[in-house]
Amino acid sequence: MSISTIAILTAFACYLLLMISIGIVSMKKTKSTEDYFLGGRGLNGWIAALSAQASDMSGWLLMGLPGSVYALGTGQAWIAIGLFIGTVLNWLLISKRLRRYTIVANNSLTLPEFFENRFHDRKKILLGISSVVIVIFFLVYTASALASGGKLFNTVFGIDYHIALAIGAIVILIYTFLGGFLAVCTTDFIQGTLMLIALLIVPILAYSLISGDFSTALINNDVVNAGDYMSLFSNGGEPYSLVDILSQVAWGLGYCGMPHILVRFMAVKSEKELKKSSVIAIIWVAISLFAACVIGVVGRAFLQDVLTGSATETVFISMIQQLFTVDFALPFIAGLFLCGILAAIMSTADSQLLVCASSASKDIYKNILNPKADDKKVLTISRITVIVIAVLAFIIAWDPESSIMNLVSDAWAGLGSAFGPLVVCSLFWKRTNLPGAVSGIVSGGLFVIIWDYLPIVNGQTPYAATGIYSLLLGFFISLACIIIVSLCTKAPEPSVLEDFEAVNNYTE
C-alpha cells in the first residue's frame, strides 16, 4: 500500500471515527421520540441551516452535478438555478409557517403526522398513505447516496464497488441508529462546513495550475466548441429547448415536499433562530451550487485524461487526486477534501434513514398499528427500521453502473409531486380539505411512477419519449387535484378552520 493511500485512509478513519463518536454522545441525550426525531425542537440557527442544506444536497452536489457540467457544459447549471430559487422560497415562505403549524397541530413530529393533525384525519388515511410514499421514494433516494459512497471508495482506494458500498452504509447506519436526529444534525453541521471548504478550495487551486489559455485547454480536452460548452443555452453541443430548460428549473419545485428538509424547520428552537437560519442557508446554497458547476468546467480543462460514461461523476475525486500527490502531508489533505464528498453522501443518507424510520415507527406502528406503544418501544422499532431501510437501499444501489443523477432525479420528483403542493395548500389555503389532500398525494406520487417507470409509449417511458421531467407535470397535476377535489367536496369542519386561524395569530 502506497504512502499516499495510507495518508488518505488515515484522514478517512479520523473523520469516520468523529462521526461515530457524535452518534454515541447524542445517544445519551436521546430520551424520547421527540428527541430522536426532532432533537427536542432545540436546534440553533447555524446547525438548522447547515444540516438542512447538507442533508439536501448529498453526493449529487459533488459528483452528480459537476459530472453533468463536465460532460455536457454549463447548460446543466439550469438545475442549480432552479434549486437555488426553490431554496430561497422554501426558507422565506414555508419554514416559519410550517414550524408554527406543526406546534399548533398537536405538536406534530413528522410530516405525515402534521397532515393527519392539520386535517383532523381520525381514520388515519393521510398518515398511512404519506408514510408509504415516504418509504418508497426515500428507498431510492437513500440508494443514490449509498451508490455515491461506493463510487467514492472504489475510485479512491480501488476497493471493489460492492465492498465499498457496504463500508459507507455501515458507518452511516451506526451513528444514525445510535443518536437519531441530534446526531444527524450535529454531523450534518460539520459535514456542511467541510463540503463548503472543499467546494471552494479545489477549483481555485486547479484553475491556478491550468497552463495557457482556458478555452484552449477546454478544446484540447475533447471539447469541440468552447463557446457552446460555456453557454447556458447549449446542452452537449445541441441547442437547449424551452422544455429542457423548464424541466431543469422545475427541480426547484421539489423543495417544499422534502420531508428531510422540512423537518429542520420544525425543529428550530425559535423564530429568531429560524430567521438567522434562512440567511445562512441561502448564502451556503448559492456558493455551493455555483462552486459545483465551476468544478465541472475547470475539471474539463484541468484533467489530462478525458472521463467518459459514469466516470464523469468522479471528476471532483480525480481533480483532488491530481492536486495532492507528493508526500504524506499532501495526500492527507487530499483525504480531508475527499471527506467533503463523503460528508455530502452521509449528510443526506442519514437524514433519509431517519425520516423513513420516523414514518415506519411513529406514523405507521405507533399511530396506526399500536397506539398504546410507549416511547421505549417506538424508539426500538425506529432503530430496527433504520437497519431494514439501509439494507433495502443497499440492494437497490448494488449495480455499479447505476447513475447517481438518475436515482436522485426519480426520488426528488416523487416526493416533490406527492407532498409539495399539499404542503403549500395546507399552510396557505384554509379551504383545503381531507379528500383534496388525499387526492393530491396519490395523484402526484402515481404520476411520477407512471411517467418515469412504465414503458407505455412505443416501448418507452413517457419521460424517455418526451424528455419532460416528471416533477414539472406531477407538481401541477397534484395541485390541480387538491384544488378541484377540495372545492367539489364538503368544506373543512370548524375545528380545522380554528387551527388555521390560530396559526395566523400565533406568537412566541
Side-chain angles (χ1 to χ4, degrees):
M1 186 179 291
S2 68
I3 292 177
S4 175
T5 302
I6 292 172
I8 293 173
L9 269 174
T10 302
F12 269 62
C14 292
Y15 176 76
L16 294 175
L17 285 173
L18 175 62
M19 297 299 102
I20 292 172
S21 298
I22 290 171
I24 294 171
V25 172
S26 299
M27 186 178 184
K28 297 177 180 178
K29 299 178 182 179
T30 301
K31 307 298 183 183
S32 67
T33 51
E34 184 171 7
D35 290 337
Y36 194 77
F37 296 135
L38 281 185
R41 290 192 193 265
L43 293 191
N44 66 44
W46 279 94
I47 290 180
L50 291 192
S51 69
Q53 296 315 128
S55 67
D56 159 29
M57 288 303 174
S58 76
W60 171 87
L61 179 68
L62 296 178
M63 295 179 75
L65 180 57
S68 293
V69 173
Y70 175 92
L72 301 171
T74 56
Q76 292 295 304
W78 284 109
I79 295 177
I81 292 169
L83 289 174
F84 175 71
I85 295 171
T87 298
V88 172
L89 295 177
N90 210 26
W91 279 99
L92 297 184
L93 300 180
I94 301 295
S95 62
K96 182 167 75 172
R97 190 163 179 87
L98 178 64
R99 182 182 178 277
R100 288 182 174 186
Y101 220 137
T102 54
I103 294 172
V104 170
N106 201 27
N107 194 33
S108 304
L109 302 184
T110 66
L111 191 62
E113 191 175 50
F114 165 64
F115 289 148
E116 177 196 12
N117 293 332
R118 161 66 174 85
F119 296 103
H120 294 197
D121 179 17
R122 298 174 184 87
K123 294 183 179 180
K124 303 185 183 298
I125 299 171
L126 271 179
L127 191 71
I129 293 173
S130 54
S131 298
V132 169
V133 169
I134 283 175
V135 171
I136 290 173
F137 287 109
F138 265 135
L139 268 175
V140 180
Y141 212 151
T142 306
S144 74
L146 298 186
S148 301
K151 290 186 178 184
L152 172 64
F153 284 108
N154 174 256
T155 304
V156 175
F157 302 116
I159 301 173
D160 177 77
Y161 172 79
H162 302 110
I163 296 174
L165 192 68
I167 293 171
I170 288 169
V171 173
I172 295 166
L173 187 59
I174 289 173
Y175 73 78
T176 307
F177 178 87
L178 293 174
F181 189 77
L182 188 59
V184 165
C185 288
T186 306
T187 54
D188 284 359
F189 172 76
I190 296 170
Q191 290 160 346
T193 304
L194 187 58
M195 288 162 63
L196 188 61
I197 293 171
L199 278 164
L200 289 174
I201 293 178
V202 171
I204 292 173
L205 285 177
Y207 183 80
S208 69
L209 295 175
I210 295 173
S211 58
D213 180 67
F214 186 78
S215 296
T216 302
L218 280 175
I219 294 171
N220 290 340
N221 281 292
D222 230 18
V223 175
V224 177
N225 189 316
D228 287 343
Y229 185 83
M230 296 297 294
S231 171
L232 273 176
F233 298 96
S234 177
N235 183 33
E238 299 295 327
Y240 248 134
S241 69
L242 180 61
V243 169
D244 291 333
I245 293 174
L246 289 177
S247 289
Q248 294 209 357
V249 173
W251 279 65
L253 294 172
Y255 268 106
C256 50
M258 296 297 139
H260 61 300
I261 299 172
L262 299 177
V263 73
R264 265 68 179 180
F265 303 157
M266 297 157 61
V268 178
K269 66 182 178 181
S270 69
E271 291 189 6
K272 181 180 178 181
E273 288 294 317
L274 192 63
K275 186 176 181 179
K276 181 169 71 175
S277 292
S278 64
V279 176
I280 297 166
I282 290 169
I283 292 173
W284 186 95
V285 80
I287 295 172
S288 298
L289 288 170
F290 178 77
C293 293
V294 170
I295 286 169
V297 175
V298 172
R300 191 66 187 238
F302 175 72
L303 296 175
Q304 298 303 308
D305 297 323
V306 177
L307 303 174
T308 58
S310 62
T312 59
E313 295 186 327
T314 65
V315 56
F316 191 48
I317 300 172
S318 299
M319 289 171 69
I320 293 172
Q321 289 176 317
Q322 288 196 26
L323 284 169
F324 305 97
T325 56
V326 185
D327 54 24
F328 186 90
L330 287 179
F332 184 81
I333 295 172
L336 293 178
F337 285 134
L338 289 169
C339 284
I341 302 175
L342 186 60
I345 295 162
M346 294 170 68
S347 61
T348 299
D350 56 20
S351 296
Q352 292 159 350
L353 284 173
L354 194 62
V355 170
C356 282
S358 67
S359 290
S361 61
K362 176 73 174 168
D363 299 325
I364 296 176
Y365 178 75
K366 165 71 174 176
N367 292 335
I368 296 177
L369 300 178
N370 188 8
K372 295 182 180 180
D374 58 22
D375 256 12
K376 186 176 180 180
K377 182 73 172 179
V378 175
L379 276 174
T380 301
I381 296 297
S382 298
R383 288 175 168 138
I384 292 172
T385 305
V386 166
I387 296 173
V388 173
I389 295 298
V391 171
L392 293 175
F394 178 86
I395 294 170
I396 294 173
W398 186 255
D399 180 8
E401 294 302 316
S402 58
S403 166
I404 298 167
M405 198 73 171
N406 290 343
L407 288 169
V408 172
S409 172
D410 293 343
W412 188 267
L415 293 165
S417 296
F419 295 137
L422 181 56
V423 168
V424 173
C425 289
S426 63
L427 295 179
F428 298 104
W429 188 39
K430 66 181 180 180
R431 182 62 175 78
T432 311
N433 63 12
L434 178 58
V438 172
S439 69
I441 293 176
V442 172
S443 62
L446 280 179
F447 176 83
V448 170
I449 292 172
I450 293 169
W451 193 261
D452 288 342
Y453 293 102
L454 299 186
I456 57 178
V457 182
N458 297 323
Q460 292 182 302
T461 64
Y463 170 69
T466 65
I468 300 174
Y469 186 30
S470 53
L471 179 57
L472 178 61
L473 299 176
F475 185 94
F476 292 104
I477 287 173
S478 175
L479 181 63
C481 287
I482 293 170
I483 294 172
I484 293 170
V485 174
S486 292
L487 291 175
C488 292
T489 52
K490 190 168 68 172
E493 59 187 71
S495 59
V496 173
L497 300 178
E498 288 170 8
D499 285 350
F500 191 91
E501 292 304 321
V503 174
N504 290 339
N505 301 321
Y506 180 89
T507 56
E508 287 194 335

